[in-house]
């Protein structure tokens, strides 16, 4: 039941088909009936002839043998299933992951045995396969995959860029995971050779005989070509055509993929390309390119975005073809003029977890299914035939009743199952799936260089007392025109002309460098001495740069903050963790989250959080900066910028506490002065994806009560309250009401604040009941959230000055430290090299946006002023039922994982299914789901265009 649904493949054009076998002429019976004449069905029939010699085996094919995915395949027989090996280890554990990957290697061996047993060998060759990094950001993942495979006992290696180019002859890729032992085959010759062998062995093949009905039982009854067929057992090997039988319609998606084929490549052009034609490759994108040279010298080049089968149209297919032609030329420029002679496609079935389905069909006694190969059909169908044939033979070979299958069990592999998780169906479902596929493709195209969002840099070793630095460059500044960050750097980020907040002229806006006596000459001035500014100053000073650090406040003072530091890693990297703990700040090993009636507990025995008072943390980091050699000045306001004659920022003007005004000359001025950054305003840094929090943030310190060393975060209805210990008998109590309701907490009445907390969470209020308040109630309302252009000629922005999320998320401190580390790495690596520094800052800016974007949207969602929606409740219920998903939620909340790795389309689909099955109107639920998908697309477009406002 292959059913072509596509033009003939190049393989089929090369070797004419044998005459078709006649269609079924009337009612019939068989010992085993196999529905589907592709590789899986023919291989199963071939194996059954060895286990049931002389039995009546009947293969039913809707059109002609091999006309489906088998005859349209590229013939690359490689390992892997279900995603990268690192994903399998996380999902299933190392032992099961080892068994899964090992099974795919067994599949390659099974296909080799099969091909070598056939007369013509089917153009089988052995070689290697590369999984090539299409962007620098993908190299780390491929390195980890190679190491994980070696740890599990498999042969795999990582090739750097040069090694990859040596294997493939192209410099398009940045590195590769290498599988050293795979096979290449002509899949059309394979199915035709199997067909001939089966006919010779007495197996009956009925082509042009579509199966349109099926009833399980003893025997199983099929409706095939208008006739009735009875069989003791039936195997469905119909892959992408199974839904036509009304089976697995809610478990698999049918997608179409495409491939080009060229004329035979002239040897001199192949030599010019640098590739010797051996092996095969796929790249590291979700919708990857794949390539190989055939035994007859033609280049196969396929991939591009997969198309959802019900929504395939000529326009979409033409766009895929044009893209493949372009990418072929980009990969092998020397082969760009080799004519493309063939373009074809094939359909395949895929599940959400990218694992096949092999097992008895639920509710259909006597019927087995083997399919949904998720692109791995060549190896896995050969393996499955070897495993399934003896079990079917054991069942039908006996003389007893066959109402149930009781053979020896199949191997314990996750795809040995009768079904798979649900997928969306109907018009709304197809829209969601199509959007999901487009989203995967957009991620490939729009974020090719995304780096790991939570990579860990080496720890910074700072001296306990100021030491004589080894200068990176002489501290004396060059002329303003030779600033380290050249004016051309501004061209790499959006122009400042469309800034959301218009520039306000600084006190010295009209002054040109040299119009006032210079008080200091330094390499870098940092404006703002809280978390980001002090951490950055410490790193730069330790690297030998002269740094002046200013803050208008007489630190330490309160500031907008949710106080929480997720994990100890960031403070350990900065070298201050021991200092903070020594001040009595207790490690928080437990997090208790309550969302209405859902309660979650996260335990962190090895990586606890911390909640120092901001006055404590800011002072510790400021002291560390001073110890590293930074010149720190608090209570000194930066009131303007100095500029060179070309407009490049060349220093600052400061006002001391006594009112005196002085200039400080610097090669670079960095704004670390928070959300309302003066530096950002003065330079006109463009602000984009801007919104304002719908929640107020109120906090107050208390003392005199020892509370458990844990974070309690409770969201009840529209209100959020939390409590965190900041010392042995000290804690901070935080309320985040919707902005329009924060007036209910007006004033500084402690009793009123506690009454509000009690109305939201009596459990939190009980912990705070006997404590004494310290200081005043702090309040921030309608604070902005945004991304800003992070650098320009002579200036940069770090921490909240460059990017700020909704404080409801509680990621601000971790974000600030990560931002400071990233900027410090670029500056210390390229200081004194203007062109390299400009390029490095551009990369840092792009990486910042890609790293922070997913959790920025997540913060916007949880910071919404309303109650949790019905869809959010359903998604959360699904997460709560999955222990791995609960762990991912913990990682998202703890700033260790991007939210889009948790809040995926499959989770949305599951939430939709849960709500519909519980009785909610499908039209209403579907509309909500579509609205969410459309919001996701609107956000993606806004991020791509750096739109001023966030959707």
């Amino acid at each position: 039941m292959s059913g072509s649904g596509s033009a003939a493949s190049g393989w089929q054009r090369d070797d004419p088909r044998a005459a078709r076998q006649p269609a079924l002429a009337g009612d019939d019976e068989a010992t085993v009936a196999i529905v589907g004449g592709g590789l899986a069905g023919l291989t199963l029939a071939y194996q059954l002839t060895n286990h049931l010699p002389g039995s009546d085996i009947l293969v039913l094919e809707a059109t002609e043998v091999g006309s489906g995915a088998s005859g349209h395949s590229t013939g690359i027989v490689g390992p892997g299933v279900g995603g990268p090996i690192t994903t399998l280890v996380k999902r299933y554990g190392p032992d099961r992951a080892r068994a899964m990957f090992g099974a795919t290697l067994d599949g390659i061996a099974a296909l080799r045995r099969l091909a070598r047993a056939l007369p013509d060998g089917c153009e089988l060759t052995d070689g290697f396969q590369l999984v090539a990094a299409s962007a620098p950001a993908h190299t780390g993942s491929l390195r980890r995959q190679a190491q994980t495979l070696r740890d599990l006992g498999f042969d795999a290696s990582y090739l750097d860029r040069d090694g990859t180019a040596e294997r493939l002859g192209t410099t398009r890729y940045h590195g590769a995971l290498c599988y050293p032992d795979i096979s290449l085959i002509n899949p059309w010759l394979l199915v035709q050779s199997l067909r001939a062998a089966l006919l010779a062995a007495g197996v009956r093949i009925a082509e042009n005989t579509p199966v349109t009905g099926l009833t399980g039982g003893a025997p199983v009854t099929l409706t095939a070509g208008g006739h009735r067929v009875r069989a003791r057992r039936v195997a469905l090997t119909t892959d992408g055509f199974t839904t036509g039988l009304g089976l697995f319609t809610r478990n698999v998606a049918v997608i179409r993929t495409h491939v080009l084929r060229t004329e035979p490549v002239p040897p001199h052009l192949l030599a010019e390309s640098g590739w010797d034609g051996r092996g095969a490759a796929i790249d590291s994108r979700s919708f990857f390119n794949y390539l190989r040279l055939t035994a007859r010298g033609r280049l196969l080049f396929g991939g591009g975005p997969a198309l959802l089968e019900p929504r395939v149209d000529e326009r979409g297919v033409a766009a895929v073809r044009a893209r493949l032609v372009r990418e072929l030329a980009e990969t092998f420029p020397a082969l760009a003029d080799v004519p493309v002679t063939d373009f074809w496609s094939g359909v395949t079935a895929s599940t959400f977890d990218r694992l096949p389905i092999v097992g008895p069909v639920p509710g259909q006694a006597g019927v087995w299914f083997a399919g949904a190969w998720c692109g791995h059909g060549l190896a896995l169908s050969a393996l499955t035939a070897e495993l399934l044939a003896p079990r079917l033979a054991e069942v039908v070979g006996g003389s007893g009743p066959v109402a149930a299958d009781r053979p020896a069990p199949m191997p314990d592999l996750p795809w040995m199952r009768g079904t798979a998780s649900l997928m969306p169906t109907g018009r709304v479902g197809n829209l969601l799936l199509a959007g999901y596929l487009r989203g995967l493709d957009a991620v490939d195209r729009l974020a090719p260089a995304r780096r790991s969002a939570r990579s860990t840099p080496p720890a910074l070793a700072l001296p306990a007392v100021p030491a004589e630095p080894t200068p990176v460059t002489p501290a004396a500044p060059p002329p303003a025109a030779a600033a380290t960050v050249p004016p051309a750097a501004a061209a790499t980020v959006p122009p400042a002309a469309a800034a959301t907040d218009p520039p306000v002229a600084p006190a010295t806006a009209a002054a040109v460098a040299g119009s006032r006596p210079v008080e200091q000459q330094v390499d870098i001035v940092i404006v703002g001495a809280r978390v980001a500014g002090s951490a950055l100053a410490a790193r730069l000073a330790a690297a030998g740069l002269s740094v002046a650090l200013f803050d208008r406040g007489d630190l330490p003072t309160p500031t907008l903050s949710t106080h929480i530091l997720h994990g100890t890693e960031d403070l350990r990297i900065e070298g201050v963790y021991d200092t903070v703990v020594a001040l009595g700040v207790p490690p928080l090993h437990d997090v208790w989250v309550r969302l209405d009636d859902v309660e979650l507990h996260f335990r962190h025995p090895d990586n606890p959080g911390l909640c120092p008072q901001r006055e404590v943390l800011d002072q510790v980091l400021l002291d560390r900066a001073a110890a590293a050699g930074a010149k720190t000045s608090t209570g000194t306001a930066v009131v303007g910028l100095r500029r060179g004659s070309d407009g490049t920022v060349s220093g600052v003007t400061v006002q001391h506490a006594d009112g005196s005004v002085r200039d400080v000359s610097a090669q670079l001025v960095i704004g670390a002065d928070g959300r309302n950054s003066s530096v950002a305003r003065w330079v006109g840094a463009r602000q984009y994806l801007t919104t304002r929090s719908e929640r107020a943030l109120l906090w107050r310190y208390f003392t005199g009560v020892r509370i458990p060393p844990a974070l309690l975060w409770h969201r009840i209805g529209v209100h959020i309250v939390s409590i965190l210990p900041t010392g042995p008998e000290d804690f901070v109590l935080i309320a985040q009401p919707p902005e329009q309701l924060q007036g209910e907490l007006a004033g500084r009445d402690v009793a009123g604040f506690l009454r509000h907390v009690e109305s939201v969470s009596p459990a939190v209020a009980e912990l705070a009941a006997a404590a004494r308040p310290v200081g005043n109630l702090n309040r921030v309302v309608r604070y902005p959230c945004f991304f800003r252009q992070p650098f320009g000629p002579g200036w940069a922005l770090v921490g909240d000055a460059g990017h700020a999320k909704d404080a409801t998320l509680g990621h601000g401190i971790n974000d600030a430290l990560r931002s400071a580390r990233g900027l410090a790495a670029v500056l210390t690596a390229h200081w004194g090299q203007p062109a390299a520094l400009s390029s490095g800052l551009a990369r840092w800016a792009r990486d910042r946006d890609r790293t922070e974007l997913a959790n920025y949207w997540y913060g916007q969602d949880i910071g919404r002023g309303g109650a949790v929606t019905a869809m959010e409740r359903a998604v959360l219920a699904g997460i709560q039922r999955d222990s791995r998903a609960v762990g991912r939620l913990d990682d998202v909340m703890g700033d260790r994982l991007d939210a889009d790795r948790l809040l995926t389309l499959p989770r949305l689909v599951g939430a939709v299914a849960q709500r519909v099955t519980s009785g909610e109107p499908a039209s209403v639920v579907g509309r909500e789901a579509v609205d969410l998908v459309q919001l996701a697309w609107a956000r993606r477009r806004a991020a791509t265009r750096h739109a001023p406002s966030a959707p």
Side-chain angles (χ1 to χ4, degrees):
M1 192 174 169
S2 301
S4 68
S6 170
S9 69
W11 306 111
Q12 293 168 308
R13 295 189 183 98
D14 288 345
D15 295 287
R17 304 175 177 88
R20 291 193 185 188
Q21 288 298 108
L24 201 65
D27 292 352
D28 211 325
E29 293 185 354
T31 305
V32 177
I34 298 172
V35 183
L39 179 61
L42 298 180
T43 308
L44 179 59
Y46 183 85
Q47 295 295 343
L48 282 171
T49 61
N50 297 323
H51 294 278
L52 290 172
S55 295
D56 189 6
I57 301 170
L58 174 63
V59 177
L60 300 167
E61 166 55 43
T63 55
E64 55 188 338
V65 164
S67 60
S70 299
H72 291 75
S73 165
T74 58
I76 301 173
V77 192
V81 66
I85 188 65
T86 47
T87 299
L88 300 185
V89 170
K90 291 177 183 177
R91 186 177 297 168
Y92 301 103
D95 291 341
R96 213 164 189 216
R98 182 185 294 108
M100 294 168 70
F101 190 84
T104 68
L105 297 179
D106 293 343
I108 297 173
L111 187 126
R112 287 171 174 164
R113 287 191 293 272
L114 176 67
R116 288 167 179 159
L118 297 171
D120 60 8
C122 312
E123 298 179 355
L124 177 72
T125 59
D126 295 338
F128 63 85
Q129 180 181 343
L130 302 187
V131 182
S134 57
H138 299 174
T139 58
S141 173
L142 295 177
R143 286 180 188 274
R144 290 190 293 274
Q145 291 177 53
Q147 184 60 55
T148 301
L149 286 166
R150 290 193 295 270
D151 292 345
L152 295 175
F154 299 111
D155 188 5
S157 60
Y158 177 79
L159 305 178
D160 62 15
R161 186 166 193 163
D162 291 341
T164 303
E166 184 178 349
R167 289 289 186 104
L168 287 181
T170 175
T171 58
R172 183 183 182 191
Y173 302 118
H174 303 269
L177 167 65
C178 180
Y179 298 122
D181 189 22
I182 63 106
S183 288
L184 302 172
I185 199 166
N186 183 325
W188 175 249
L189 287 183
L190 178 61
V191 294
Q192 293 305 309
S193 296
L194 276 170
R195 177 183 184 274
L198 291 174
L199 292 174
V203 173
R204 293 186 295 143
I205 300 176
E207 297 182 285
N208 292 329
T209 306
V211 173
T212 56
L214 178 151
T215 304
V220 180
T221 302
L222 301 172
T223 302
H227 305 291
R228 177 179 295 179
V229 176
R230 296 185 179 185
R232 298 186 70 188
R233 282 294 179 274
V234 167
L236 302 177
T237 57
T238 42
D239 197 44
F241 302 93
T242 308
T243 55
L245 290 172
L247 297 175
F248 303 113
T249 57
R250 301 182 64 188
N251 308 99
V252 301
V254 180
I255 57 177
R256 184 175 290 276
T257 57
H258 301 77
V259 64
L260 300 172
R261 190 179 70 158
T262 70
E263 284 187 352
V265 179
H268 72 280
L269 287 182
L270 189 64
E272 184 179 337
S273 76
W275 182 32
D276 62 8
R278 296 188 305 114
I282 64 175
D283 68 42
S284 55
R285 296 174 295 177
S286 296
F287 294 127
F288 45 78
N289 289 142
Y290 37 85
L291 61 94
R292 61 162 292 194
L293 205 68
T294 71
R296 305 178 198 188
R298 295 174 181 265
L299 175 62
L300 291 185
F301 191 90
L307 303 179
L308 189 65
E309 179 61 11
R311 301 174 65 87
V312 174
D313 57 31
E314 292 184 4
R315 180 180 175 185
V317 171
V320 172
R321 188 184 194 281
R323 178 164 156 181
L324 287 176
V325 169
R326 183 183 71 251
E327 292 182 335
L328 187 157
E330 291 171 352
T331 305
F332 296 113
L335 308 183
D337 294 330
V338 177
V340 172
T341 58
D342 305 286
F343 174 67
W344 69 84
S345 64
V347 297
T348 186
S350 184
T351 60
F352 260 140
D353 59 9
R354 293 192 284 174
L355 294 176
I357 303 172
V358 177
V361 177
Q364 297 286 352
V367 181
W368 278 65
F369 177 78
W373 302 114
C374 304
H376 297 280
L378 291 173
L380 291 181
S381 60
L383 173 68
T384 299
E386 288 192 355
L387 296 173
L388 184 56
R391 287 155 178 81
L392 289 177
E394 183 180 345
V395 172
V396 301
S399 58
V402 292
D405 291 320
R406 298 187 185 90
M410 295 285 278
D412 182 21
L413 296 168
W415 61 88
M416 299 298 174
R417 54 186 180 172
T419 187
S421 58
L422 295 179
M423 280 193 173
T425 58
R427 180 174 175 273
V428 171
N430 287 335
L431 180 62
L432 287 170
L433 284 174
Y436 177 58
L437 296 178
R438 287 197 302 271
L440 290 176
D441 185 48
V443 169
D444 287 339
R445 290 185 289 108
L446 297 177
R450 182 174 183 176
R451 295 183 179 176
S452 171
R454 308 295 176 243
S455 59
T456 303
L460 172 64
L462 293 176
V465 296
E468 187 66 24
T470 302
V472 178
T473 62
T484 304
V485 185
T492 63
V493 292
T500 301
D501 296 324
V504 175
T508 58
V512 178
S515 62
R516 179 184 289 108
V518 174
E519 180 180 72
Q520 280 183 281
Q521 290 186 341
V522 294
D523 291 322
I524 297 173
V525 164
I526 299 176
V527 183
R530 294 189 185 273
V531 170
S534 289
L536 178 61
R539 286 185 165 267
L540 297 178
L545 294 169
S546 60
V547 179
L549 178 63
F550 297 101
D551 198 289
R552 70 170 55 246
D554 190 13
L555 300 183
T557 57
T559 188
L560 164 64
S561 180
T562 50
H563 295 76
I564 185 66
L565 254 163
H566 298 283
T568 63
E569 183 178 61
D570 283 321
L571 289 189
R572 291 185 188 278
I573 291 170
E574 301 306 325
V576 298
Y577 172 76
D578 292 338
T579 302
V580 171
V581 173
L583 292 172
V585 179
L588 310 181
H589 294 282
D590 294 279
V591 177
W592 297 89
V593 174
R594 181 178 173 190
L595 296 100
D596 293 325
D597 56 349
V598 175
E599 294 191 17
L600 298 169
H601 174 218
F602 306 121
R603 176 76 177 161
H604 306 127
D606 301 319
N607 191 29
L610 288 174
C611 181
Q613 291 188 19
R614 278 304 303 269
E615 292 90 327
V616 172
L617 179 62
D618 291 346
Q619 187 64 59
V620 168
L621 290 170
L622 181 61
D623 291 344
R624 199 61 169 161
K631 304 174 180 68
T632 63
S633 301
T634 59
T636 301
V638 173
V639 294
L641 300 178
R642 289 166 49 85
R643 296 182 186 271
S645 58
D646 61 354
T648 299
V649 173
S650 60
V652 297
T653 298
V654 300
Q655 184 173 26
H656 296 291
D658 62 4
S660 61
V661 177
R662 297 288 188 271
D663 284 347
V664 178
S665 175
Q667 298 182 54
L668 181 66
V669 174
I670 300 174
D673 47 341
R675 293 175 190 250
N676 299 313
S677 169
S678 295
V679 174
R681 189 169 66 252
W682 293 336
V683 299
R686 182 176 184 264
Q687 190 165 295
Y688 50 99
L689 302 183
T690 303
T691 184
R692 289 191 179 272
S693 178
E694 297 181 13
R695 292 186 174 274
L697 177 65
L698 301 94
W699 72 96
R700 190 158 197 170
Y701 298 120
F702 291 81
T703 189
V705 171
R706 184 182 295 272
I707 68 172
L711 161 61
L712 276 68
W713 190 92
H714 290 183
R715 178 171 180 166
I716 311 298
V718 299
H719 288 285
I720 299 173
V721 297
S722 53
I723 187 169
L724 307 93
T726 59
E729 294 187 353
D730 307 296
F731 62 88
V732 62
L733 191 58
I734 301 172
Q736 293 171 278
E739 186 272 334
Q740 67 271 23
L741 300 181
Q742 61 92 23
E744 298 174 3
L745 297 175
R748 301 180 178 181
D749 177 23
V750 175
F753 184 53
L754 291 175
R755 282 196 300 272
H756 168 76
V757 173
E758 184 175 19
S759 71
V760 178
S761 173
V764 170
E766 183 179 357
L767 291 174
R772 302 187 306 276
V774 177
N776 296 321
L777 177 65
N778 300 282
R779 178 194 311 264
V780 180
V781 181
R782 291 190 57 76
Y783 54 86
C785 308
F786 52 81
F787 287 84
R788 282 194 185 117
Q789 173 187 346
F791 76 99
W795 61 270
L797 302 174
V798 72
D800 281 357
H803 161 64
K805 297 185 179 74
D806 193 298
T808 309
L809 193 60
H811 288 184
I813 300 175
N814 295 86
D815 284 355
L817 292 172
R818 184 164 56 246
S819 174
R821 287 199 302 269
L823 180 56
V826 173
L827 295 178
T828 56
H830 303 301
W831 192 257
Q833 308 166 54
L837 181 56
S838 177
S839 298
L841 288 171
R843 288 192 300 273
W844 168 70
R846 291 192 298 268
D847 290 347
R848 181 204 65 175
D849 284 11
R850 289 165 182 148
T851 294
E852 305 298 347
L853 189 60
N855 285 355
Y856 180 72
W857 298 130
Y858 178 60
Q860 184 178 330
D861 291 338
I862 68 170
R864 200 179 57 246
V868 177
T869 67
M871 192 67 77
E872 289 168 338
R873 289 177 185 274
V875 170
L876 182 62
I879 290 173
Q880 195 177 19
R881 292 191 294 268
D882 181 347
S883 60
R884 290 191 301 272
V886 170
R888 287 192 167 193
L889 176 60
D890 180 25
D891 286 340
V892 170
M893 296 182 67
D895 201 21
R896 296 179 294 275
L897 184 73
D898 286 347
D900 58 6
R901 299 286 302 279
L902 172 70
L903 306 175
T904 59
L905 182 63
R907 297 212 182 279
L908 175 60
V909 171
V912 169
Q914 185 268 325
R915 292 179 64 190
V916 171
T917 56
S918 67
E920 294 188 55
S923 60
V924 173
V925 177
R927 184 66 257 170
E928 291 180 24
V930 170
D931 288 345
L932 289 174
V933 173
Q934 290 175 339
L935 174 61
W937 275 105
R939 286 174 167 176
R940 188 179 299 279
R941 288 194 298 270
T944 302
R945 300 167 183 169
H946 284 191
S949 299

